[in-house]
Amino acid sequence: MEQYEPDRLTPAQTAAVRRSFRNGRAAMTRRSLLRASAGGALAVGGVGALSGCGIPAAGRTQGGTATEDHSAKEKTVGFSNWTEYMDVDDSGKHHPTLDAFAERTGITVKYTEDINDNNEFFGKIKPQLAAGQDTGRDLIVLTDWLAARLIRLGWVQKLDPSNLPHAYTNLSAQFRDPDWDPGRAYSYPWQGISTVIAYNKKALDGIEVKSVSDLLDNPKLKGRVGFLSEMRDSIGMTLLDMGKDPAKFTDDDFDAVIARLQKAVDKGQIRRFTGNDYTSDLTSGDFAACVAWAGDVVQLKADSPDIDFIIPDSGYMTSTDNMLVPNKARHKTNAERLIDYYYEPEPAAELAAYINYVCPVDGVKPYLAKIDEDAANNPLIIPDQAMAAKSHAFRSLSSKEETAYEGKFAKLTGA
């Protein structure tokens, strides 16, 4: 069983976390922006609480620790999610899909928007999980790198497939088999987050951009290119452009990407590495093109006819936010029923129409078209087969790799 021994952050990792809080996805609100993946490093303020001696993971590494399930007698489920990551009615007081679930099942959902950042939330729940205690939550939503860590530590429960018939059937193929949770034994995606290339047509003024190579090598774009300050996104997109698989790359491959990006920095091709603040650079034309998050692009396109995107032939990066049942949760079956509910096409469509992220549920498009035809035809929300085939995930990293890679990336970006 893996022991929980918090990694002491190197200066580079500390800078990466602070960079994410300052202007990365951690600095964003949910509807208009994406939030931090923070590279797997722990929250700066939360490291000391469990440092020193190793604290045993609560339960087995495989399977987590179950407790008596009170679902049958207690018709409730506690659901912690990110802010503005759920459909809301016009009054702003009700969540229609959650209300429909409660009406159908008799299970009341205690819905709490208490996740603003992966690291911060991990700091809230780690003392209870490490001590083998109930967190007071039955369902939580975490980004893939942190979900992977909790699974390795044995801090989440293995899901019961018999309670997940829709989820098992309707999960999109591109999300079915991550290396950190093969076959989705412990998690199901809430939404997907895609990284693409965005551009400003007016600023490009006829210059063709089809690839990361165009961003890095076309002298006509010198000083008008942006890359993201999130390591997995910028490195992953460049790995793909260099013909490497982000799921299988080596140390040498990583170093080759760093060298390529450093060359572009040195010659002034890359204007800067940004968090979400690239949106203002892109709309103003200071960036002619940049590596961007699809959730932003959907909204920017709605506001400006000059903004558009491309998916490089080499592919694009996708990460996921994932639903998990923590150890000692009192209402595991109720939580599984809620997971399964959001894999029915109709509620999945209602959710997708409101939040505009990549929907991980097959069969949603005709239902979404009845609500919002433009959203149904938007490949950033409902990827077609060709686009889904170009999706790639960044592989899991060891603690040693994390330290080395974040250090090199921080040096590149000047963090």
Side-chain angles (χ1 to χ4, degrees):
M1 171 178 29
E2 179 175 333
Q3 299 290 303
Y4 177 59
E5 296 186 40
D7 304 320
R8 294 187 180 279
L9 298 187
T10 65
Q13 288 177 305
T14 301
V17 174
R18 286 175 177 157
R19 181 175 67 244
S20 186
F21 283 140
R22 192 168 57 245
N23 64 2
R25 283 186 271 180
M28 310 168 194
T29 57
R30 192 69 234 183
R31 265 293 281 167
S32 61
L33 318 164
L34 301 168
R35 72 305 137 258
S37 56
L42 300 175
V44 175
V47 173
L50 291 176
S51 62
C53 61
I55 296 178
R60 302 179 302 278
T61 300
Q62 297 299 319
T65 300
T67 189
E68 182 181 355
D69 191 348
H70 299 267
S71 293
K73 294 181 179 179
E74 299 176 6
K75 306 296 285 185
T76 185
V77 59
F79 184 9
S80 282
N81 203 351
W82 295 77
T83 57
E84 300 187 63
Y85 213 11
M86 180 66 73
D87 55 306
V88 181
D89 68 4
D90 291 339
S91 74
K93 297 179 180 179
H94 300 283
H95 303 291
T97 57
L98 288 177
D99 292 344
F101 173 79
E103 183 176 355
R104 182 204 297 183
T105 64
I107 299 171
T108 300
V109 182
K110 181 183 178 182
Y111 184 71
T112 308
E113 294 182 334
D114 60 348
I115 307 178
N116 295 299
D117 172 73
N118 284 292
N119 292 314
E120 180 185 24
F121 186 71
F122 183 61
K124 290 181 182 179
I125 63 175
K126 66 185 176 184
Q128 295 100 320
L129 291 174
Q133 299 171 353
D134 181 12
T135 65
R137 301 167 175 87
D138 301 302
L139 192 64
I140 58 178
V141 177
L142 299 176
T143 305
D144 42 23
W145 64 265
L146 184 54
R149 186 177 186 89
L150 264 64
I151 291 171
R152 289 198 307 270
L153 289 166
W155 286 359
V156 293
Q157 298 187 52
K158 196 168 187 177
L159 301 173
D160 184 348
S162 67
N163 293 326
L164 298 161
H166 296 97
Y168 180 81
T169 301
N170 295 333
L171 176 60
S172 297
Q174 72 181 100
F175 300 117
R176 279 193 176 271
D177 202 35
D179 66 350
W180 49 270
D181 186 16
R184 292 287 179 180
Y186 298 90
S187 69
Y188 269 89
W190 175 247
Q191 298 291 295
I193 304 168
S194 296
T195 304
V196 299
I197 294 176
Y199 60 88
N200 183 314
K201 298 175 188 176
K202 186 175 180 180
L204 282 179
D205 193 25
I207 300 171
E208 187 174 67
V209 171
K210 290 186 176 182
S211 67
V212 169
S213 287
D214 291 332
L215 298 182
L216 295 175
D217 300 332
N218 189 334
K220 295 180 180 179
L221 296 177
K222 182 177 180 179
R224 298 193 294 145
V225 168
F227 273 71
L228 292 169
S229 58
E230 297 294 343
M231 184 263 287
R232 284 169 171 78
D233 297 312
S234 288
I235 295 294
M237 290 292 283
T238 311
L239 279 167
L240 288 169
D241 188 72
M242 296 172 69
K244 302 296 182 179
D245 185 350
K248 299 177 181 178
F249 69 90
T250 65
D251 287 348
D252 288 343
D253 295 332
F254 186 92
D255 288 345
V257 169
I258 291 291
R260 189 176 185 203
L261 292 173
Q262 186 67 61
K263 181 179 179 181
V265 169
D266 293 343
K267 69 181 182 181
Q269 185 77 6
I270 296 176
R271 185 183 185 95
R272 64 191 183 105
F273 290 83
T274 72
N276 173 258
D277 46 332
Y278 72 82
T279 56
S280 58
D281 288 316
L282 187 62
T283 54
S284 70
D286 287 342
F287 282 168
C290 62
V291 179
W293 291 308
D296 290 341
V297 177
V298 170
Q299 294 171 51
L300 291 174
K301 277 174 58 67
D303 295 334
S304 172
D306 291 328
I307 305 302
D308 213 333
F309 74 98
I310 62 103
I311 302 296
D313 289 340
S314 59
Y316 66 102
M317 298 301 298
T318 299
S319 58
T320 51
D321 286 332
N322 309 275
M323 296 177 281
L324 307 104
V325 179
N327 283 355
K328 297 291 184 176
R330 287 178 61 87
H331 312 106
K332 179 174 181 285
T333 298
N334 291 345
E336 290 167 339
R337 291 184 69 182
L338 185 57
I339 293 172
D340 196 61
Y341 168 74
Y342 279 106
Y343 275 81
E344 296 179 27
E346 191 166 358
E350 292 182 53
L351 182 66
Y354 185 81
I355 63 177
N356 295 161
Y357 285 79
V358 179
C359 182
V361 183
D362 279 344
V364 162
K365 188 171 183 176
Y367 295 89
L368 182 55
K370 295 177 183 178
I371 304 170
D372 186 337
E373 189 170 354
D374 288 341
N377 292 320
N378 189 332
L380 297 182
I381 300 173
I382 308 293
D384 56 27
Q385 188 173 2
M387 182 170 172
K390 293 183 177 182
S391 172
H392 296 266
F394 204 90
R395 69 171 174 82
S396 299
L397 300 179
S398 67
S399 295
K400 182 178 179 181
E401 288 175 324
E402 188 70 52
T403 299
Y405 293 170
E406 282 289 1
K408 292 173 182 179
F409 189 71
K411 184 177 179 180
L412 168 72
T413 61

